[in-house]
């Protein structure tokens, strides 16, 4: 019997500590959900891509990607009722939405800008 590629199991690779810690720092994602989703290769790849983009992209690119990701989440949830009863899809959508909200919200971008300013040693304006 083959298993769905969306089901949790033994991942090909473990999530990097930085990604796991970053996901763990999202208040709306509990330890169980973090472990479950990061044990799935597909969600691990999504989380890693979003995390790396959130810390490496320039402010302008980050802002543009934030807008497109929020549009994607809106589209993803447009007919969420289609997936009632399918917990894998529902929880997957929920996980992606939480990542986007945490790392690509206006509040996250302001906090990141303040951190970059403090890290650079320049006084904040």
């Amino acid at each position: 019997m083959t298993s769905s590629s969306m089901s949790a199991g033994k991942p090909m690779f473990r999530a990097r500590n930085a990604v796991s810690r970053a996901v763990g720092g999202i208040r709306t994602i509990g330890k169980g959900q973090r472990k479950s989703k990061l044990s799935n290769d597909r969600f691990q790849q999504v989380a890693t891509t979003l995390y790396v983009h959130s810390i490496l992209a320039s402010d302008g690119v980050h802002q543009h990607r934030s807008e497109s990701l929020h549009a994607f989440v809106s589209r993803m949830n447009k007919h969420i009722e289609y997936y009632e009863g399918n917990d894998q899809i529902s929880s997957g959508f929920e996980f992606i939405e939480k990542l986007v909200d945490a790392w690509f919200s206006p509040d996250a971008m302001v906090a990141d800008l303040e951190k970059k300013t403090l890290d650079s040693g320049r006084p904040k304006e």
Side-chain angles (χ1 to χ4, degrees):
M1 176 189 246
T2 61
S3 65
S4 167
S5 63
M6 295 297 288
S7 58
K10 185 169 172 50
M12 289 179 60
F13 304 100
R14 284 189 44 205
R16 297 279 186 216
N17 286 336
V19 175
S20 185
R21 280 194 312 270
V23 173
I26 299 173
R27 290 184 312 239
T28 56
I29 297 177
K31 184 177 181 180
Q33 186 179 35
R34 183 187 82 228
K35 283 185 168 198
S36 170
K37 295 306 176 201
L38 291 182
S39 70
N40 178 293
D41 289 328
R42 301 326 176 264
F43 288 116
Q44 186 185 121
Q45 291 165 354
V46 169
T48 300
T49 300
L50 293 177
Y51 171 70
V52 170
H53 191 282
S54 75
I55 62 172
L56 294 181
S58 69
D59 294 339
V61 170
H62 188 84
Q63 173 64 36
H64 177 68
R65 186 57 55 219
S66 175
E67 292 167 5
S68 65
L69 283 168
H70 283 282
F72 170 72
V73 168
S74 293
R75 178 73 179 117
M76 187 174 69
N77 289 323
K78 185 174 183 177
H79 293 289
I80 196 71
E81 69 276 5
Y82 294 172
Y83 309 105
E84 285 178 9
N86 190 326
D87 292 337
Q88 286 183 323
I89 292 175
S90 298
S91 69
F93 282 8
E94 177 185 315
F95 181 70
I96 292 170
E97 184 172 7
K98 288 176 181 181
L99 295 176
V100 170
D101 287 346
W103 294 336
F104 293 89
S105 70
D107 292 338
M109 293 187 320
V110 168
D112 187 49
L113 180 60
E114 289 174 354
K115 182 182 180 310
K116 285 179 184 175
T117 302
L118 291 174
D119 289 347
S120 70
R122 295 178 304 195
K124 291 181 7 181
E125 297 176 8

